[in-house]
Amino acid sequence: MQLAAKFSNILLDGLDRKRLCVPSIWAEKCRIMGAPFPGPYTFDPTPWCEEMLNTDFPECCGQKSAQAGFTETMLNRALFTIDQLRRSVLYLLPNTKQDASDSTQSRLNPALELSEHLPSMFSTRVTMALKRPEDHALYSDVP
């Protein structure tokens, strides 16, 4: 009976991972957020971000404002691309402000620390401009 339960869990996990081919579903399943909205990622505070995250257009453009969810949406898109599409990502930010140079430490590292799934995507935990998954990379423009 124990073998059947293990097999069932493996099968269900595989089917669950198959559902994650939509970026918004992936974000809600794989991202855990800290304050001010702790817990599983949700679009409740920023409903406009769901469509932006799910777009399949080659370019995604939005007017950035403070606390509108744009940064988390693009981070979700980058992590989804690495995890599900198995492609490398180049994540660029302007480096004229100190905020941009702290992006890896203030956004990416907490995302990795809060999630059970995300750390398994990366073979090493560095706090520099490169996060390296097993066979793909997340490059960010951090001086």
Side-chain angles (χ1 to χ4, degrees):
M1 186 63 174
Q2 187 177 2
L3 184 60
K6 278 186 177 181
F7 178 73
S8 177
N9 285 341
I10 290 170
L11 183 61
L12 290 173
D13 285 346
L15 291 173
D16 199 31
R17 294 285 300 157
K18 275 284 207 208
R19 279 188 53 230
L20 300 181
C21 63
V22 177
S24 60
I25 294 172
W26 180 93
E28 291 173 322
K29 183 76 173 169
C30 297
R31 285 291 309 276
I32 304 296
M33 303 301 293
F37 304 105
Y41 185 86
T42 178
F43 292 99
D44 291 345
T46 56
W48 52 86
C49 291
E50 185 172 3
E51 186 175 351
M52 186 181 290
L53 180 58
N54 286 335
T55 185
D56 59 358
F57 290 112
E59 295 179 18
C60 182
C61 183
Q63 188 169 0
K64 173 92 171 84
S65 65
Q67 306 304 315
F70 192 80
T71 302
E72 290 299 331
T73 299
M74 293 301 106
L75 183 57
N76 285 338
R77 185 72 173 190
L79 292 169
F80 167 82
T81 299
I82 292 168
D83 186 34
Q84 294 296 307
L85 304 181
R86 313 294 291 162
R87 295 193 317 229
S88 296
V89 172
L90 176 63
Y91 192 98
L92 299 174
L93 295 168
N95 61 5
T96 56
K97 290 184 171 182
Q98 184 62 31
D99 296 350
S101 66
D102 294 338
S103 176
T104 299
Q105 292 165 344
S106 67
R107 298 294 184 139
L108 186 55
N109 287 340
L112 295 176
E113 291 165 6
L114 292 170
S115 171
E116 288 183 31
H117 173 68
L118 296 180
S120 69
M121 293 169 35
F122 295 89
S123 58
T124 60
R125 296 285 309 277
V126 295
T127 58
M128 302 172 99
L130 172 65
K131 297 283 184 184
R132 186 138 187 89
E134 293 175 17
D135 55 356
H136 303 291
L138 172 60
Y139 301 95
S140 62
D141 182 27
V142 179

